[in-house]
Amino acid sequence: MKFFLDTAMIEEIKQAKAWGFLDGITTNPSLAAKTGRPFEDLAKEILKIVAPAPVSLEVVATDVDGMIREGLNLAQWGINVVVKIPMTEAGMAATQTLSQKHGIRINVTLVFSANQAILAAKAGASYVSPFIGRLDDVGQDGMKLIAEIVDIYKNYSFSTQVLVASVRHPMHVTEAARLGAHVATMPFGVLRQLFKHPLTDKGLAAFLEDWKKVPAPAKQPQTSKV
Ligand code: G3P
């Protein structure tokens, strides 16, 4: 399973890369806005840091021509650009043109149903992003949607990767992995939580305490050379 970071924060990206657990980045307009930086400048820095790992950059146009124009422009920013396109009628038309005519990798975002995921796969998306946390927020089972999409994609051997998004806690990651989702994109805080277990901390503290009781090695007698 691949781990993507859902962030536009440079320091978080550098830390995840240093840990060796960074398979890609997803951004969105809200995450970009949080940085307070001009988008092109920020995106190009991220692309360079993580290359050749994929970085999803989202279009903000809402019409087909605008999305295609923006997607073509974004794709020139780096070899690792994945253009993120929302699940709308215009978005699916743009996805088909950008992926099939121009060979650009597309991540279809804001997916909340299995039928939307089928459309994304048929349009030629490389990734589909079901937002599980936002479904949980409105009282629906986000993980059930992942199970449905994984099943359906297997039925038809779709090559589109299931990119589990809107991940809020480590159990989302575990469940996504159990279901065989290809990717989980998570906030930095969730990635950091994956390392943690209270019994690990407690066990390590006890080992280090006990280590202090292990006698130091006996000193070797000095042999005097004549
Ligand atoms: O990048 C899209 C998605 O992961 C957003 O998550 O927490 O805003 O629902 P969230």
Side-chain angles (χ1 to χ4, degrees), residues 12 108 117 119 130 141 171 214 222:
E12 294 182 349
V108 173
L119 292 174
D141 186 352
M171 279 310 293
V214 174
Q222 295 288 318

Side-chain angles (χ1 to χ4, degrees), residues 6 26-28 31 84 109 131 133-134 165-168 185:
D6 197 27
T26 50
T27 64
N28 62 40
L31 294 171
K84 207 170 175 186
T109 190
F131 278 27
R134 292 191 194 185
S166 188
V167 162
R168 301 281 169 75
T185 188

